[in-house]
Amino acid sequence: RAASQSPAAFEVGAGVSLTQVLELVDGALPALEKMLRVFGSRQIRSRATMGGNLVTCSPIGDLGPVLVALQAIAVVKGRNGTRDVPMGDFLAGYRQTALRPGEILWAVRIPRPQGFAASYKVSKRREMDISTASAGMQVWVDNGIVRDICLAYGGLAARPAQRAVATEAALRGKPWTEATVEAAVPHLDTDYQPISDLR
């Protein structure tokens, strides 16, 4: 499947290269573009696909957290038809997707952000390096109040793109201020207990 766009969303076939994704979104999805630009190298992005990165379901995969934050949908096809799976459910566990026997990831549908979205990657080198940790975030603010928020982190748990549910709850419904964010930060200790390893 190729890549396409509508006023509401982008739809990217699982086999579309990451370079083609960058060309498609072209300024419309800054959080995704930022992550794609530190994904491997230019040569790798010309061969790597969004579907390949997601189906591998690595806990340090670069695309999972930002796609969860952007509320992306995995379009899954099989003999029994097509179904839409929210990206947070598609990335089900350590190296485990929500694909059933006989199903494939056909495409990824990415809504145009309605809130403020951002992504971050921590690695030893800017390019050609795996993530130590990564994050995708989107916050919806109405009249200075956090209406909703999605915080997804990679590299901090076995499950790729694990949501920071306690931290989200501490921010939802509160004023969107630096003080509110600082007060919510300790909740990250509830959300994640990363193992201590070489990375």
Side-chain angles (χ1 to χ4, degrees):
R1 176 163 175 82
S4 62
Q5 61 177 300
S6 71
F10 294 87
E11 190 150 320
V12 178
V16 172
S17 77
L18 299 182
T19 297
Q20 291 172 300
V21 176
L22 273 168
E23 291 169 356
L24 173 72
V25 299
D26 191 27
L29 296 173
L32 178 61
E33 291 173 68
K34 181 181 174 186
M35 189 61 76
L36 287 173
R37 293 193 190 285
V38 292
F39 187 111
S41 64
R42 187 181 300 254
Q43 296 94 324
I44 288 172
R45 290 192 294 270
S46 294
R47 297 286 304 207
T49 64
M50 186 171 283
N53 186 256
L54 294 171
V55 172
T56 300
C57 212
S58 167
I60 54 168
D62 286 335
L63 299 183
V66 66
L67 290 174
V68 168
L70 291 173
Q71 300 188 312
I73 299 293
V75 181
V76 172
K77 282 198 174 191
R79 278 182 225 158
N80 297 323
T82 303
R83 63 190 181 101
D84 291 348
V85 182
M87 191 57 63
D89 296 332
F90 181 79
L91 302 170
Y94 179 78
R95 303 278 186 188
Q96 180 184 359
T97 69
L99 290 172
R100 298 169 184 160
E103 288 185 330
I104 61 168
L105 175 60
W106 181 253
V108 177
R109 188 179 311 118
I110 311 165
R112 293 178 187 268
Q114 301 300 307
F116 172 77
S119 66
Y120 301 91
K121 174 177 175 173
V122 177
S123 57
K124 290 184 178 179
R125 295 189 303 271
R126 183 180 183 277
E127 290 188 341
M128 293 294 292
D129 203 0
I130 60 175
S131 297
T132 300
S134 62
M137 306 171 178
Q138 188 168 188
V139 60
W140 296 263
V141 178
D142 290 334
N143 297 317
I145 302 298
V146 177
R147 174 170 54 85
D148 205 358
I149 189 163
C150 179
L151 306 173
Y153 290 83
L156 301 183
R159 181 177 185 165
Q162 179 75 36
R163 296 261 315 249
V165 292
T167 309
E168 291 174 357
L171 291 165
R172 202 172 283 117
K174 302 285 188 354
W176 183 237
T177 64
E178 187 174 345
T180 302
V181 172
E182 288 178 359
V185 167
H187 291 277
L188 288 168
D189 288 337
T190 303
D191 287 314
Y192 305 104
Q193 296 82 41
I195 60 172
S196 177
D197 61 5
L198 183 59
R199 290 190 301 106

